[in-house]
Amino acid sequence: MDFHKVGLSDSEYKTILEILGREPNALELELIGVMWSEHCSYKSTRPLLKTYPQKGKHVVQGQGENAGVVDLGEGWGLAFKVESHNHPSAIAPFHGAATGIGGIVRDIIAMGARPAVSMDGLFFGDSNLQKTHTLAKEVVKGIGFYGNAVGVPVLGGKTFYSPAYNGNPLVNAFGAGFVRLNKIASSQTAKPGEFAVLVGSKTGRDGIAGASFASRELDENDNASNPNIQIGDPFEEKLLIECCLDILDKDLMTSMQDMGAAGILSSSSEIAQKSGCGIDIQVLQIPLRDKGMEPWEIFLSESQERMLLIVKEENLDDVFKITKHYDLDCKTIGTLTDNRRYKVFKGDELIANLPIDILGDTPVKFWPSEVPADLSERQAIDLSTLKTTSPAEDILKLIACANGNSKHRIWEQYDSMVQLHTIMGPGSPVAAVEVPETKRACLLTMEAEPWKCFTDPYLGASETMALSLRGLWLSGADALGMTNCLNFASPEKSERFYELKESIKGLADTCRELDCPVVSGNVSLYNETVSAPIYPTPLVVTAGLIINRDEILKAGMTRSGDKIYLVGENDGSLGATRYQKMKNGKPLGKTVEPDYENEKLFRERAIKTAREKTANSGRVLAGGGLAVALANEAISSGVGMNISIKPQTTVESLLFSEGGARAIYSVPNNKIKEFENTWNGFSFDCIGTATGDSLSWDNLFTIPISDISKAFLEGE
Amino acid sequence: MKTSIVVFPGSSCDRDIERAISETLNTQVDMVWHEETTFSNDPDLVILPGGYSFGGYLRSGAMAACSNIIEAIKTHAAKGKMILGIANGFQILTEAQLLPGALIPNTSLTFICQKAYLRVEQTENMFTSDYKIGDVVQFPIAHHEGLYFLPPSELKELEDAGQVVFRYADPVTGESGAEYALEGSLNGIAGICNKKGNILGLMPHPERATFKHLNGGVDGIAFWKSIAKAFGERGGF
């Protein structure tokens, strides 16, 4: 069999021959090919991901497990991770998005946590194309179809439109769950003599070798008839959640792993390899959905809703009883051994016999990196040439545009309240959920800044990360940890690899400087079609904690009479902002340089402001800058504002620049002194008063909040 | 007072309701799996929770209505004891023909999760006695098959018998009717009871409007109080 067909290079095949001392048989070659694919092995990014800060006082489980876990106190942990389902969603938007939710939910179960929160990062093509809306509609329906039925609330997300995603949309699914710290499950605790038990759906021909599919560029012939696409059954998943948590609660398993990419192969080899064992698998024991499946198909099938549990012999009967209660298929398919070999039997016949490390210790791939030839072109703009003739008109356009308007038509299709723990749900800049049985709250922010990463991958990624932290700090939370989904084009092209490398560096430096460890993540490469690559799109989700949920500072709580404060510098950068993009039609110019010392000063003061309740409302500056932050605050609070502030540079920069630690606060008159004391040592300015029913700015503009509201809700 | 919450495979609001009533009612709570044939604790109140029983396959509630426990629920109903079905629980009650009508897909053909405003239309039942007729309350909705439907003659019968308990309404004017039903329910019907007033089914979720620190408001507290009041006044069954 040709090793190229399973995606192996000449040099990789040579290494395999050296390790084995013989030629692999056809089945062995299939198994190695998939485990060495980009999707399973992270071969292009592993050395880069090692540069992330991984330790922190709140980290209970860092990278290397199904999800990271941070300590929430009082015996509780948060297991969380974000994963991409880009390629499947491009080909079959409904099922691709739905199974993306299924996959992340199983990652959370695999940590022993009850899935409690989901969020979605969606990147669609040109908002002016009907095709984009058709695809978006299907993706949203798929997410709702699956998420609503498994009973996991959607607490927020990020939706972004750009022609850069025309042929290759991105669907990033974030999941989080609560777990008792003494009940965390692991995929590294199996022991020789224990049994590998497959629970859930039968194995079929769906999604065979999806991992290889995700490790190459999409081509024009990829379409919905492609058998690489999996079909999801949320009912089965819901039973799987309850069943696995039940088994775990009764201490009847020793280890657990979900079946995602490369199904039975990757779950069984990972659990054995990480646990320092070997494993014997009996292929005839695996319950099948389709007749006549070949062993390689069975091992690579990505049929959904399956989990692999490791169970001691004396607990097998109890496990079978519980799975029967939930009406789930359950079968012992293998035995852990002490010989560190991955063996597959078909009856008495040994059909694959590999050293376990060949499947787990996969080689690293180093790609050349080169500054993109057009990078200076992307950065070349004299930002002072951007002129507004009508600020009012521009503000309304920025609010109404596809990336600025309300996404309620999307999130109203998701159950955001099931499980009875949503404190702040979709529509809020920050999501908040109560920690079970406590007064604590866990806060979450999801951010991505593709335009800024396009014009400068390092600065863009750094600003993305800082933005996610500022949202938490402003709400009063300390950051616990971050998970990220790195969506990039082909690493085999040196200019694209440069973007990937620089973005990771931007995230790593910012996380290190601002004390936010990276606990989990996912990399999705080859996001491009024949016509074009996507923008470099690192997406981050950052988790924070507030000890007393009554101290959360929310947005949209401004009251008439409050003084409006701007904290931070008057100007960020207009580079690659929503305003600049609107004026020039494409992102140009760099965003701000990171200023970590300033961020730390902001952090300390923002958290203090929330805890001491010296402001009624607050909001960090993000897309659209100060003007859009004020406009959003006015409509969500239902009160107008009179603003008076002189530009230090240009009106445009003051109104619309983005980046840097900056926020607006609404401060009641009796708290002004305390508020100003808190912000002493940081740039701040009282810029107006909340009053009336218009947003007015000296003699620059007056916009009725009903007009802003209309633009926000109805869009362009 | 004793309560049994029936858990079907795919139920997702069972634990939510358990929490809401544990904090608002002085009641023992028993979670009962759908395969049981009897209620062992002789409950005063049986609750059918929201969610996707049996994945919502075939029709929402259709398969759950064939579960073992349904006979026990019917016996419980015949004794005049209280049964509450919320969302999928309401769908199961109609499928089991303990309440009239059917819940069919929303006119938008999409799932809708939003705050909904309801006018209390009658208080002569065991679930709304703590309200006044005309009160407008906010309970969130979250459903895909929430459009209440009945043939015209049966609809008239239901209305004439005063079995409509909650109707979607305008929060400002308090006016109720079909135009305020986001999913298109006939006559804006959000919740109904049987003629005896011991069985209530509603699509909105009162349990999601029970905790002040959460984002669903607190209008559901009076709903649970009504149940306690009905139970107290009658001194049990």
Side-chain angles (χ1 to χ4, degrees), chain A residues 114 141 144-145 148-151 232-235 238-239 325-326 411-425 434 549-550 554, chain B residues 9-17 19-20 33 35 52-55 57 109-114 140-142 207-209 211 213-216:
Chain A
R114 175 172 282 278
K141 259 178 131 171
F145 159 77
N148 295 338
V150 293
D233 176 359
F235 178 49
K238 170 68 174 162
L239 297 175
H325 173 81
Y326 290 101
W411 48 258
E412 281 170 3
Q413 297 185 48
Y414 306 144
D415 194 335
S416 55
M417 301 170 82
V418 63
Q419 294 197 23
L420 217 53
H421 58 200
T422 306
I423 299 172
M424 295 195 286
E434 63 173 19
R549 67 194 176 209
D550 296 330
K554 300 178 180 176
Chain B
S11 291
S12 50
C13 303
D14 45 331
R15 297 158 84 245
D16 298 2
I17 290 169
R19 181 176 168 198
W33 186 239
E35 283 178 338
Y52 281 66
S53 58
F54 295 93
Y57 297 142
L109 298 179
T110 59
F111 188 92
I112 304 175
C113 178
Q114 273 194 56
I141 55 168
E207 80 277 15
R208 296 186 183 187
F211 297 93
H213 68 279
L214 301 180
N215 68 343

Side-chain angles (χ1 to χ4, degrees), chain B residues 86-202:
Chain B
I86 301 171
N88 189 223
F90 184 17
Q91 293 163 339
I92 296 167
L93 288 174
T94 59
E95 287 285 346
Q97 303 197 350
L98 282 160
L99 287 173
L103 282 312
I104 64 172
N106 305 341
T107 44
S108 62
L109 298 179
T110 59
F111 188 92
I112 304 175
C113 178
Q114 273 194 56
K115 289 188 172 181
Y117 296 88
L118 319 171
R119 183 178 187 272
V120 179
E121 300 283 308
Q122 70 115 304
T123 54
E124 298 294 304
N125 64 73
M126 297 186 187
F127 302 89
T128 53
S129 59
D130 208 44
Y131 293 106
K132 292 189 297 293
I133 289 176
D135 282 355
V136 174
V137 296
Q138 186 283 122
F139 296 170
I141 55 168
H143 54 237
H144 194 281
E145 280 88 33
L147 190 163
Y148 185 73
F149 184 85
L150 260 184
S153 61
E154 290 173 46
L155 182 63
K156 186 171 181 303
E157 208 179 298
L158 184 86
E159 290 282 6
D160 291 347
Q163 285 173 249
V164 177
V165 180
F166 292 109
R167 217 187 288 277
Y168 294 107
D170 184 302
V172 181
T173 64
E175 205 176 301
S176 65
E179 59 271 47
Y180 307 108
L182 296 166
E183 76 287 273
S185 284
L186 297 188
N187 293 7
I189 292 171
I192 59 167
C193 63
N194 63 341
K195 286 192 176 121
K196 272 197 228 166
N198 63 317
I199 307 176
L200 178 81
L202 76 169

Side-chain angles (χ1 to χ4, degrees), chain A residues 698-711:
Chain A
D698 284 339
N699 48 6
L700 267 179
F701 60 81
T702 294
I703 320 172
I705 56 174
S706 56
D707 288 3
I708 305 173
S709 209
K710 189 166 177 285

Side-chain angles (χ1 to χ4, degrees), chain A residues 583-603:
Chain A
K583 290 289 175 190
N584 300 110
K586 59 180 177 182
L588 288 168
K590 294 205 268 188
T591 189
V592 295
E593 294 281 338
D595 182 346
Y596 302 121
E597 288 318 304
N598 199 51
E599 298 282 352
K600 288 179 195 168
L601 295 175
F602 176 85
R603 169 172 69 189

